[in-house]
């Protein structure tokens, strides 16, 4: 996913990029771990413009992914997308650090400044885009916020109907009662 810096003029540049999943090894690793399957490609829409010596890339990255619902175990597709603003520069700007006595010769890294360094005339967005998408993945995916999940006793998908199992708390009370009787004997 390359941006040619020479093509970025004062007015800026609008780009729509698309890249197969094979260009994003970390997404491949996630898919292999089984947490979700990506349904490629990765698409990116960005506005690129020059700001002083820096190149600002602003836009959205998306990829479709297939998850297994944590409650009902049904598979579902979800579009993962992330809005981002990335600032690239060839060299770090000189920053005067006011020594407050706490830090010993503190030096700001590119990361501290929210900048990404690049060489030459091209910017490769792939790594940053990959990072953005990984951060946008849901931690505990559910097919729907209202998903009722499976009955813990008979395993029925409660989104499709109701089962005849007694409510769980009644069962717990009965179990407690049974223990009580055993002790009395
Ligand atoms: Zn579900
Ligand atoms: Zn049930």
């Amino acid at each position: 996913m390359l941006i040619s810096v020479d093509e970025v003029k004062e007015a800026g540049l609008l780009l729509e990029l698309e890249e197969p999943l094979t260009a994003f090894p970390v997404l491949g690793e996630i898919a292999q771990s089984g947490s979700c399957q990506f349904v490629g490609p990765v698409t990116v829409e960005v506005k690129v413009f020059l700001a002083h010596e820096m190149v600002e890339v602003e836009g959205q990255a998306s990829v479709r992914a297939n998850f297994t619902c944590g409650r009902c175990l049904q598979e579902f597709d979800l579009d993962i997308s992330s809005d981002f603003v990335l600032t690239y520069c060839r060299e770090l700007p000189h920053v005067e650090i006011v020594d407050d006595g706490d830090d010993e010769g503190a030096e700001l890294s590119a990361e501290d400044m929210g900048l990404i360094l690049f060489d030459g005339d091209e910017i490769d967005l792939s790594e940053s885009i990959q990072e953005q998408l990984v951060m946008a993945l849901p931690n505990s995916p559910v097919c729907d916020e209202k998903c009722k999940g499976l009955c813990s006793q008979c395993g029925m998908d409660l989104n499709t109907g109701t089962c005849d199992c007694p409510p769980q708390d009644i069962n717990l009370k009965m179990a407690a009662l049974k223990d009580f009787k055993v002790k009395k004997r």
Side-chain angles (χ1 to χ4, degrees):
M1 233 166 224
L2 295 173
I3 294 175
S4 165
V5 178
D6 289 343
E7 284 173 27
V8 185
K9 301 280 182 287
E10 290 294 309
L13 187 68
L14 274 174
L15 288 175
E16 278 182 44
L17 307 167
E18 194 178 289
E19 197 107 290
L21 286 167
T22 46
F24 305 90
V26 174
L27 298 187
E29 280 169 30
I30 289 173
Q32 249 178 6
S33 77
S35 37
C36 69
Q37 295 301 317
F38 293 99
V39 190
V42 172
T43 56
V44 170
E45 274 184 56
V46 283
K47 210 162 73 184
V48 189
F49 47 92
L50 302 173
H52 306 290
E53 292 295 288
M54 305 190 189
V55 184
E56 194 114 309
V57 182
E58 187 186 318
Q60 190 182 58
S62 324
V63 66
R64 202 167 176 77
N66 182 270
F67 295 91
T68 302
C69 174
R71 293 182 203 158
C72 71
L73 307 181
Q74 293 291 322
E75 289 187 9
F76 65 100
D77 280 354
L78 190 67
D79 284 318
I80 304 298
S81 68
S82 170
D83 295 320
F84 58 85
V85 182
L86 302 168
T87 309
Y88 292 83
C89 59
R90 287 200 173 87
E91 53 186 61
L92 292 182
H94 180 72
V95 179
E96 292 285 345
I97 297 171
V98 182
D99 190 1
D100 56 5
D102 283 350
D103 294 300
E104 303 159 19
E107 235 176 76
L108 291 179
S109 67
E111 209 179 327
D112 292 334
M113 287 189 254
L115 300 171
I116 306 162
L117 287 170
F118 76 100
D119 282 329
D121 301 319
E122 282 179 327
I123 290 175
D124 188 0
L125 286 181
S126 305
E127 209 170 307
S128 300
I129 295 301
Q130 177 169 264
E131 213 170 281
Q132 294 293 325
L133 291 172
V134 170
M135 285 193 295
L137 289 173
N139 285 326
S140 39
V142 283
C143 64
D144 190 311
E145 280 307 318
K146 296 193 196 84
C147 175
K148 296 192 183 94
L150 304 178
C151 170
S152 60
Q153 297 162 79
C154 72
M156 179 174 172
D157 185 343
L158 298 175
N159 298 305
T160 62
T162 46
C163 58
D164 296 324
C165 299
Q168 192 69 59
D169 58 335
I170 288 181
N171 264 14
L172 288 173
K173 274 178 204 153
M174 303 237 305
L177 209 60
K178 213 174 81 193
D179 284 347
F180 183 66
K181 276 179 190 161
V182 170
K183 276 174 202 156
K184 264 190 101 176
R185 220 182 273 165

